[in-house]
Amino acid sequence: MSFFGLESELILPTFQQQLVAIVFALLLLALIIFLAVRRVFAEAYSMLWLLTGLAILLLSVYPESLAPVSALTGIVEASSILFLFGIVFLLVICLFITAVVSQQKMKITKLSIRLALLENRIEGTMEQCRKST
Amino acid sequence: MSSPAEGEESILVLIPAYNEAPRIGAVVAGVRRALTRAEVVVIDDGSSDGTARQARAAGATVLSLPMNLGYGDALRTGYEYALASGAQVVVQLDADGQHDPSSITTLLDAMADRDAGVVIGCRFAGSGDYRMPMLRRIGSRLFSAILRLLTGRRFHDPTSGFQAIRRSALRFFATDNLPGDYPDADFIYFLCRSGIEVVEAPARFEPSPDGKRTLHEGLLSVFYVAKMLLSVFLTMLRPLPDRSAGAEEEE
């Protein structure tokens, strides 16, 4: 097959490999839905993971759809392309989670400062009340 | 604020606001004119433009969040306040002046006449000059169709944030069931599943202020629709809340 003027020599997975990938994708999707229903993560993150699960399922069912990527990258093994996708995805997720954790830390710091100031103000008010009575 | 007379229901008006300093004063004043006996509470969602100061100057009680939590979480702060303060009815409206405070009485009348737990202000039945942006109109129709399929009932304006809520329904709002960003069709579906009577009443809407970026524009609207569809799907799978929980407190 030829894409963008480049030839693709994609080696498709065996039936056994494909079956394992489909079962894995279905289990992953079931786990994601279970966690989302139990509100383990927020809906925006649920959407990200559901899309990932669906993408894995689609690529497992139709591995030939990787042919354009194979032509562009020169990687011939479908499973290698999936590994590459997986690693890139995990790196992006790590980056994203690092950003979220950093933001949460800033928010917790802000809340802690505000709590300390409020406690100080309450104690001051109570002290004044005690003195006046 | 004037206290409710004996036998009158105490009403609390919630206005979540984020950087609405130029408009919040007029909105609070409009609500106080329309509903003299209500307490007006502005939830300042981490604004940096003096929204809280303007709201206080207009006579509102202000709950200031230390950072921007989002529309749903700001509302939840207000619901918790309303439950703690013993309000019998809560009305919520937007801080940008889109919701005409003179329609509040229509919502309250509909609540009493139809014995509803929640009344949604419906812009299509109002007499204002409001014209919904196209993307929002498509989204609204889509959610309306989904709600009809799931509940068998027709909601003309499921994305409206102009609502009146009775105390018996309020305890469903002040929980994790309320989406933290934008509770819309997903939450209406949740309420219907929980046995709350949700009805619509005509309300007057004004167009969005110029230059205001909303969720219903561009790529954000695509994300919003996808998120809402997922949220409705997850609501279908979740177990129903215990209706008796918190009922003792109501009695």
Side-chain angles (χ1 to χ4, degrees), chain A residues 36-37 39 43 47 50 114, chain B residues 64 67 177 223 230-231 238:
Chain A
V37 166
R39 291 200 180 82
E43 263 145 23
M47 202 154 74
L50 269 177
R114 181 142 169 183
Chain B
S64 285
M67 61 199 70
N177 294 313
F223 170 79
L230 172 66
S231 191
R238 285 181 181 135

Side-chain angles (χ1 to χ4, degrees), chain A residues 33 36-39 41 43-44 46-47 50 106-108 110-111 114, chain B residues 64-68 176-177 186 223 226-227 230-231 233-234 237-238:
Chain A
I33 292 172
V37 166
R38 293 186 65 124
R39 291 200 180 82
F41 36 57
E43 263 145 23
S46 312
M47 202 154 74
L50 269 177
M106 279 189 280
K107 285 181 179 174
I108 291 169
K110 207 171 168 180
L111 278 176
R114 181 142 169 183
Chain B
S64 285
L65 293 170
M67 61 199 70
N68 183 248
D176 289 338
N177 294 313
D186 51 348
F223 170 79
K227 188 246 146 197
L230 172 66
S231 191
F233 171 65
L234 293 176
L237 299 180
R238 285 181 181 135

Side-chain angles (χ1 to χ4, degrees), chain B residues 28-227:
Chain B
V28 171
V31 172
R32 296 185 77 204
R33 266 196 308 276
L35 218 60
T36 49
R37 66 191 167 101
E39 178 182 5
V40 183
V41 178
V42 172
I43 305 106
D44 175 27
D45 193 10
S47 302
S48 55
D49 67 344
T51 296
R53 198 174 51 248
Q54 296 294 333
R56 260 188 217 103
T61 302
V62 177
L63 306 176
S64 285
L65 293 170
M67 61 199 70
N68 183 248
L69 295 185
Y71 181 76
D73 285 333
L75 276 174
R76 186 172 166 183
T77 308
Y79 299 145
E80 300 272 4
Y81 177 87
L83 279 175
S85 70
Q88 295 304 306
V89 176
V90 165
V91 176
Q92 66 182 55
L93 68 156
D94 288 354
D96 58 5
Q98 263 203 82
H99 303 153
D100 186 344
S102 65
S103 296
I104 294 176
T105 46
T106 317
L107 266 60
L108 296 177
D109 289 345
M111 177 175 274
D113 294 346
R114 295 155 76 181
D115 197 23
V118 176
V119 181
I120 300 171
C122 174
R123 70 198 85 198
F124 302 118
S127 52
D129 307 322
Y130 186 80
R131 272 189 64 78
M132 200 186 249
M134 192 181 69
L135 273 173
R136 183 165 188 161
R137 202 163 53 233
I138 294 168
S140 187
R141 282 191 184 158
L142 174 70
F143 296 134
S144 186
I146 290 171
L147 281 174
R148 192 166 192 184
L149 193 74
L150 295 173
T151 65
R153 297 185 46 199
R154 184 143 191 210
F155 292 96
H156 298 83
D157 196 2
T159 61
S160 166
F162 195 5
Q163 297 178 7
I165 307 154
R166 202 186 280 279
R167 187 177 175 83
S168 55
L170 194 60
R171 63 193 175 83
F172 289 92
F173 284 72
T175 62
D176 289 338
N177 294 313
L178 186 83
D181 42 14
Y182 282 85
D184 276 342
D186 51 348
F187 200 62
I188 295 174
Y189 174 50
F190 166 77
L191 290 172
C192 291
R193 275 193 81 206
S194 307
I196 304 290
E197 180 65 8
V198 185
V199 301
E200 284 186 317
R204 196 182 155 88
F205 281 61
E206 301 297 336
S208 282
D210 288 342
K212 199 184 170 199
R213 192 163 166 260
T214 75
L215 258 187
H216 309 279
E217 289 165 11
L219 266 183
L220 265 181
S221 64
V222 178
F223 170 79
Y224 170 76
V225 169
K227 188 246 146 197

Side-chain angles (χ1 to χ4, degrees), chain A residues 38-84:
Chain A
R38 293 186 65 124
R39 291 200 180 82
V40 172
F41 36 57
E43 263 145 23
Y45 300 118
S46 312
M47 202 154 74
L48 175 75
W49 281 108
L50 269 177
L51 287 176
T52 308
L54 284 173
I56 293 174
L57 184 65
L58 281 175
L59 290 176
S60 309
V61 176
Y62 304 108
E64 56 275 13
S65 57
L66 289 169
V69 186
S70 169
L72 271 176
T73 58
I75 304 170
V76 290
E77 280 272 1
S79 51
S80 300
I81 298 175
L82 284 177
F83 271 120
L84 177 70

